């Protein structure tokens, strides 16, 4: 990677973290930790993560997580510097931080919670870690740093018979992750000895197919190491993995492992590159390495193998699994994989949902939000965009494309970092509003998958009004999040925020005026006051789980939402007075029966001559952007020919006209 790219990324990361810390009233290390947690959860690397800082003599920790299957304990330590490029993170420092983190594990095992106040987040963390140590199969230690590490690979160790692995997410790795455009780093797997295979000739230039057999033990180990990252290109497989083991698969594994190859349909996988072992004649004799491995069908088989290996402690040495492996060129991956997944699923009729960012819904949201100008509310008159990052790294890419510092500064001014939101964020905002906080609490990846299923089942009409209201949900959610911080939600803030938003939506029957929030780009004082009173009531229920549940697990259950929905709370009169007369149901949100006045009609009310005058003025003064001048000509010509103006063009044209008027354009004769 270019050094200048890394420097720009480091500077942007620090600025973003500082802005987040200031807006949320927290420390920069905590804001950085939360940001990385969100990225790693979205990538499927971790799940159920919580921030909780504790430092004492000999030990330090910034957060923890329990793997989705409950068989992996994750602990995190953070190194965040305001000037990260001044020096590198030395190997000795890395080893020291991991040692302090493991010491925390040791002291938690030995009863650290007894010396900590029960009201602190750290107490809950100590309880969770102490309990997890009796249940998990392995421990993963993570070091999160915005410095470049000089040594990022450490050998595994053991703790009380548990395998302990070490992962360093330093500046360079975070940058690769941010700019890769994919959910996570590609999975590369080697096989020694190589897997026996038969290569099938293909007449298509963009893919080839290999038939092979994988040892069941190896496949189970791969799932144990990578989890749902193996399945991220296929929503169907991903949604099947809910911790349950298929009964038929389990019976075969336990009582007839040698017949598994005959009884089971095997897996369908894809790769971006396959390396073969070759004989003396040059022909492929086995699969030696697979790059970019993804399982697009057979997720239940893979997970069941892992569960039988780890829970039942069964020997899988006699188990063989057939595999159809398709090597697909990277640029064709997102086009071909959904078809492979769809056509290889013949057991059950399942609606395929495209997990990629190329889904029509996300393309439409991006198209409209790119041309949508949020009203200026700070008195500056400067309108801005809410930047929808449909694919990972788009925001950074746009900054890079700006090239000069002046253009980059202008881009950031028009697209503030605090107004950037991702696909996972969008799913979180909408599901919270639609009273599905238990889905949101299951983590970014699972919540997003559920969101896409709902989009597929009932596609909304993505128009300007829809995007206005989604952004209003974002503003509301962020406001609730800030209020939750003031009430000491701590490591449970994400759960408290989604449940408070959902409870507010329920109490108001979705009559909060999202259109007003969009126009004013903030929530009203009456709404702020109501949330401030509601939040602690919700927090009391969410953070005090019923017997046998950890707070993180409790928040994932529908029973938790049922309990929160029953919280007695009367709407304050001040809020009641400003609610809409009728609910904003999901149809209205989708734009099906909205009250959009139509910006195209607004454009048509402006005389054709004025658009041509604006074009000439822009040409003479060179004040507007070239595209804005061309847009004025385009609108004038279409109006002259009595042709309709597309809404996105109309919206841009109105904004360009307002900008021209503010800069001296005078249409009066």
């Amino acid at each position: 990677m270019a050094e200048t790219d890394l420097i720009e990324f480091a500077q942007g990361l620090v600025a973003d973290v500082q802005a987040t810390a200031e807006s949320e009233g927290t420390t920069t290390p905590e804001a950085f930790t939360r940001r990385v947690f969100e990225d790693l959860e979205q990538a499927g690397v971790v799940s159920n993560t919580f921030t909780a800082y504790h430092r004492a003599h000999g030990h330090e920790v910034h957060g923890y997580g329990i793997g989705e299957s409950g068989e992996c304990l994750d602990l995190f330590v953070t190194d965040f510097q305001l000037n990260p490029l001044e020096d590198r993170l030395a190997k000795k420092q890395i080893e020291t931080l991991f040692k302090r983190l493991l010491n925390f594990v040791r002291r938690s095992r030995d009863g650290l919670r007894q010396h900590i106040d029960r009201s602190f987040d750290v107490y809950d963390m100590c309880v969770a870690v102490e309990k997890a140590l009796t249940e998990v199969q392995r421990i993963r230690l993570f070091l999160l740093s915005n410095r470049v590490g000089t040594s990022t690979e450490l050998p595994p160790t053991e703790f009380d018979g548990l395998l302990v692995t070490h992962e360093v997410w330093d500046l360079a790795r975070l940058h690769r992750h941010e700019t890769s455009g994919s959910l996570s780093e590609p999975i590369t797997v080697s096989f020694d000895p190589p897997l026996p295979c038969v290569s099938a000739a293909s007449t298509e230039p963009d893919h080839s197919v290999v038939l092979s057999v994988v040892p069941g033990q190896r496949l189970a180990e791969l799932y144990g190491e990578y989890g749902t990252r193996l399945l991220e290109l296929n929503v169907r497989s991903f949604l099947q993995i809910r911790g349950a083991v298929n009964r038929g698969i389990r019976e075969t594994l336990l009582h007839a492992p040698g017949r598994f190859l005959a009884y089971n349909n095997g897996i369908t996988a894809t790769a971006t590159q396959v390396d073969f072992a070759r004989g003396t004649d040059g022909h492929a004799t086995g699969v030696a390495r697979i790059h970019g491995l993804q399982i697009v069908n057979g997720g239940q088989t893979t997970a069941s193998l892992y569960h039988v290996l780890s829970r039942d402690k069964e020997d899988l040495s006699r188990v063989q699994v057939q595999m159809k492996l398709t090597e697909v060129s990277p640029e064709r991956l997102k086009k071909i994989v959904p078809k492979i997944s769809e056509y290889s699923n013949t057991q059950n009729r399942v609606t395929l949902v495209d997990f990629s960012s190329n889904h029509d819904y996300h393309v439409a949201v991006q198209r409209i939000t790119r041309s949508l100008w949020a009203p200026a509310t700070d008195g500056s008159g400067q309108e801005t965009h809410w930047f929808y990052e449909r694919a990972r790294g788009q925001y950074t890419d746009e900054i890079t494309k700006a090239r000069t510092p002046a253009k980059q500064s202008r881009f950031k001014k028009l697209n503030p970092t605090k107004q950037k939101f991702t696909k996972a964020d969008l799913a979180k905002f909408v599901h919270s509003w639609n009273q599905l906080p238990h889905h949101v609490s299951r983590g970014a990846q699972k919540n997003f998958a559920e969101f896409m299923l709902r989009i597929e089942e009932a596609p909304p009409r993505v128009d300007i009004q829809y995007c206005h209201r989604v952004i209003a949900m974002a503003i509301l959610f962020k406001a609730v999040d800030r209020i939750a911080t003031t009430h000491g939600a701590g490591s449970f803030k994400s759960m408290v925020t989604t449940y408070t938003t959902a409870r507010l939506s329920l109490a108001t029957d979705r009559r909060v005026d999202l259109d007003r929030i969009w126009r004013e780009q903030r929530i009203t004082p009456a709404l702020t006051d109501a949330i401030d009173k509601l939040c602690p009531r919700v927090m009391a229920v969410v953070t005090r789980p019923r017997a046998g549940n950890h707070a993180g697990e409790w928040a994932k259950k529908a029973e938790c939402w049922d309990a929160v929905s029953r919280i007695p709370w009367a709407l304050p009169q001040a809020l009641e007075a400003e609610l809409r007369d009728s609910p904003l149901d999901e149809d209205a949100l989708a734009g099906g029966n909205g009250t959009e006045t139509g910006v195209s009609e607004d454009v048509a009310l402006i005389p054709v001559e004025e658009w041509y005058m604006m074009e000439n003025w822009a040409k003479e003064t060179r004040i507007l952007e070239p595209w804005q001048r061309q847009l004025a000509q385009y609108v004038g010509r279409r109006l002259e020919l009595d042709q309709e103006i597309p809404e996105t063009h109309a919206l841009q044209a109105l904004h360009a006209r307002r900008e021209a008027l503010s800069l001296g354009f005078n249409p009066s004769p």
Side-chain angles (χ1 to χ4, degrees):
M1 79 185 72
E3 186 175 353
T4 54
D5 291 344
L6 193 62
I7 291 172
E8 288 176 0
F9 175 72
Q11 293 170 340
L13 181 60
V14 169
D16 186 24
V17 168
Q18 286 180 307
T20 301
E22 183 179 352
S23 65
E24 295 186 354
T26 187
T27 65
T28 49
E30 182 175 357
F32 173 69
T33 305
R34 287 185 189 278
R35 175 190 167 118
V36 179
F37 278 4
E38 290 176 1
D39 286 346
L40 296 185
E41 284 211 22
Q42 190 174 345
V45 177
V46 299
S47 59
N48 304 323
T49 54
F50 303 93
T51 57
Y53 175 65
H54 181 63
R55 180 177 182 176
H57 180 70
H59 67 267
E60 184 174 3
V61 64
H62 284 79
Y64 68 105
I66 308 295
E68 191 62 46
S69 64
E71 295 168 2
C72 178
L73 170 64
D74 297 331
L75 278 304
F76 304 85
V77 64
T78 294
D79 166 70
F80 180 79
Q81 306 293 326
L82 293 177
N83 299 297
L85 299 174
E86 288 186 351
D87 56 46
R88 291 177 173 249
L89 185 61
K91 180 180 180 181
K92 187 174 181 180
Q93 292 175 298
I94 293 173
E95 291 173 343
T96 298
L97 286 168
F98 276 128
K99 182 180 179 181
R100 291 177 62 83
L101 189 55
L102 191 60
N103 280 342
F104 169 76
V105 179
R106 181 175 293 106
R107 292 179 184 178
S108 293
R109 177 203 62 188
D110 295 338
L112 178 62
R113 62 182 173 86
Q114 298 172 12
H115 307 288
I116 295 175
D117 191 308
R118 285 174 174 265
S119 64
F120 292 170
D121 295 340
V122 179
Y123 179 84
D124 293 318
M125 175 169 62
C126 291
V127 171
V129 171
E130 186 178 342
K131 182 173 183 289
L133 289 174
T134 64
E135 300 172 347
V136 300
Q137 306 295 323
R138 59 197 175 104
I139 301 172
R140 294 189 299 177
L141 303 181
F142 289 79
L143 168 56
L144 315 178
S145 176
N146 67 330
R147 290 194 285 172
V148 175
T150 57
S151 176
T152 57
E153 293 186 8
L154 280 80
T157 57
E158 280 195 359
F159 176 82
D160 284 357
L162 299 175
L163 176 68
V164 179
T165 58
H166 308 78
E167 288 205 32
V168 179
W169 283 80
D170 66 342
L171 182 69
R173 190 173 184 185
L174 290 171
H175 180 255
R176 288 197 306 271
H177 183 67
E178 180 86 12
T179 57
S180 67
S182 63
L183 284 175
S184 58
E185 294 180 326
I187 295 172
T188 299
V189 179
S190 298
F191 297 95
D192 186 17
L195 304 178
C197 70
V198 175
S199 190
S202 173
T203 58
E204 300 294 329
D206 56 3
H207 76 275
S208 59
V209 179
V210 174
L211 303 178
S212 184
V213 175
V214 186
Q217 180 89 12
R218 183 74 170 113
L219 190 56
E221 291 169 350
L222 287 176
Y223 185 78
E225 182 175 357
Y226 297 107
T228 54
R229 282 182 59 199
L230 279 170
L231 316 173
E232 62 189 10
L233 288 183
N234 178 29
V235 173
R236 179 186 188 275
S237 291
F238 176 81
L239 289 177
Q240 285 181 326
I241 309 308
R242 301 188 183 277
V245 181
N246 181 283
R247 183 181 300 175
I249 294 176
R250 184 172 183 273
E251 287 298 312
T252 302
L253 291 172
L254 294 178
H255 305 298
R259 298 180 182 176
F260 193 83
L261 184 62
Y263 291 173
N264 188 266
N265 289 334
I267 64 172
T268 301
T270 61
T272 54
Q273 180 183 329
V274 180
D275 298 338
F276 295 97
R278 298 186 181 277
T280 54
D281 58 358
H283 288 99
T285 59
V287 175
R289 177 173 292 188
I290 301 175
H291 302 265
L293 175 64
Q294 284 284 293
I295 295 173
V296 298
N297 185 36
Q300 190 70 57
T301 293
T302 307
S304 296
L305 283 165
Y306 171 70
H307 292 313
V308 169
L309 174 67
S310 60
R311 293 178 183 175
D312 297 322
K313 309 298 183 184
E314 283 297 313
D315 177 16
L316 299 181
S317 59
R318 296 175 58 199
V319 176
Q320 300 289 316
V321 184
Q322 62 188 21
M323 173 176 68
K324 182 180 78 171
L325 178 64
T326 303
E327 183 179 5
V328 184
S329 56
E331 63 274 11
R332 294 285 293 161
L333 200 63
K334 291 180 180 178
K335 293 290 185 183
I336 293 179
V337 168
K339 293 299 182 185
I340 296 174
S341 177
E342 180 179 7
Y343 297 143
S344 63
N345 280 295
T346 56
Q347 310 97 309
N348 305 292
R349 182 165 182 79
V350 178
T351 302
L352 177 70
V353 182
D354 184 5
F355 210 129
S356 78
S357 14
N358 293 325
H359 191 282
D360 290 344
Y361 171 83
H362 297 294
V363 172
V365 172
Q366 176 184 300
R367 186 185 70 250
I368 293 175
T369 54
R370 288 291 192 277
S371 60
L372 203 60
W373 291 92
T377 58
D378 59 0
S380 67
Q382 178 63 67
E383 296 174 310
T384 56
H385 292 298
W386 280 77
F387 190 97
Y388 180 56
E389 197 171 52
R390 176 172 61 87
R392 178 175 295 279
Q394 283 184 320
Y395 187 83
T396 304
D397 288 345
E398 291 298 324
I399 293 175
T400 303
K401 289 177 187 175
R403 296 185 180 279
T404 68
K407 289 184 177 179
Q408 289 178 346
S409 177
R410 175 172 171 76
F411 174 82
K412 292 177 183 177
K413 186 177 181 180
L414 297 180
N415 302 270
T417 305
K418 65 180 181 180
Q419 291 178 196
K420 180 188 77 171
F421 64 110
T422 65
K423 298 191 300 293
D425 292 330
L426 186 152
K428 178 171 61 178
F429 302 149
V430 175
H431 270 181
S432 297
W433 170 263
N434 285 334
Q435 301 162 27
L436 297 167
H438 46 299
H439 285 311
V440 177
S441 299
R442 290 169 187 168
Q445 197 178 22
K446 277 190 174 294
N447 182 57
F448 177 72
E450 294 283 358
F451 176 73
M452 288 308 299
L453 281 180
R454 292 172 182 273
I455 290 294
E456 192 75 8
E457 291 168 358
R461 193 181 79 191
V462 182
D463 56 11
I464 291 172
Q465 185 182 63
Y466 179 88
C467 292
H468 279 179
R469 291 176 174 175
V470 164
I471 291 172
M473 292 177 203
I475 296 169
L476 174 62
F477 187 94
K478 289 171 178 283
V480 175
D481 193 66
R482 289 192 294 271
I483 292 170
T485 300
T486 66
H487 286 285
S491 61
F492 303 122
K493 187 178 68 162
S494 60
M495 298 181 298
V496 172
T497 298
T498 183
Y499 270 93
T500 302
T501 305
R503 185 65 181 87
L504 175 72
S505 173
L506 177 66
T508 60
D509 193 23
R510 292 194 181 96
R511 290 188 296 128
V512 172
D513 194 343
L514 295 179
D515 297 328
R516 178 178 179 177
I517 293 177
W518 159 258
R519 291 192 303 271
E520 298 180 358
Q521 291 292 292
R522 61 170 66 94
I523 66 174
T524 65
L527 186 51
T528 301
D529 185 62
I531 294 169
D532 189 53
K533 289 181 170 59
L534 174 62
C535 185
R537 298 181 182 221
V538 172
M539 188 164 68
V541 175
V542 173
T543 60
R544 292 172 190 161
R546 292 178 182 172
N549 285 294
H550 172 263
E553 292 302 315
W554 165 239
K556 297 178 188 177
K557 300 178 182 294
E559 291 86 348
C560 182
W561 170 232
D562 182 62
V564 171
S565 67
R566 296 173 185 273
I567 293 173
W569 184 64
L571 285 177
Q573 288 185 349
L575 177 58
E576 182 69 58
E578 64 182 36
L579 297 179
R580 294 169 56 96
D581 293 333
S582 58
L584 254 182
D585 58 24
E586 293 188 48
D587 289 336
L589 173 61
N593 55 5
T595 57
E596 182 71 48
T597 56
V599 289
S600 298
E601 287 83 349
D602 293 341
V603 168
L605 294 175
I606 300 170
V608 173
E609 295 76 13
E610 185 171 324
W611 291 109
Y612 286 139
M613 288 173 62
M614 177 176 155
E615 177 203 1
N616 292 329
W617 174 83
K619 191 182 298 183
E620 293 170 3
T621 61
R622 297 183 180 276
I623 293 178
L624 295 183
E625 296 287 340
W627 67 267
Q628 291 175 311
R629 172 177 56 78
Q630 294 166 357
L631 182 62
Q633 180 194 51
Y634 166 83
V635 170
R637 186 171 65 252
R638 289 190 72 90
L639 290 176
E640 195 172 21
L641 297 173
D642 198 26
Q643 295 177 341
E644 185 179 352
I645 310 295
E647 281 192 320
T648 51
H649 290 157
L651 197 68
Q652 290 176 320
L654 288 175
H655 172 77
R657 179 175 176 271
R658 285 196 299 273
E659 187 172 348
L661 291 170
S662 69
L663 294 172
F665 171 57
N666 184 7
S668 302

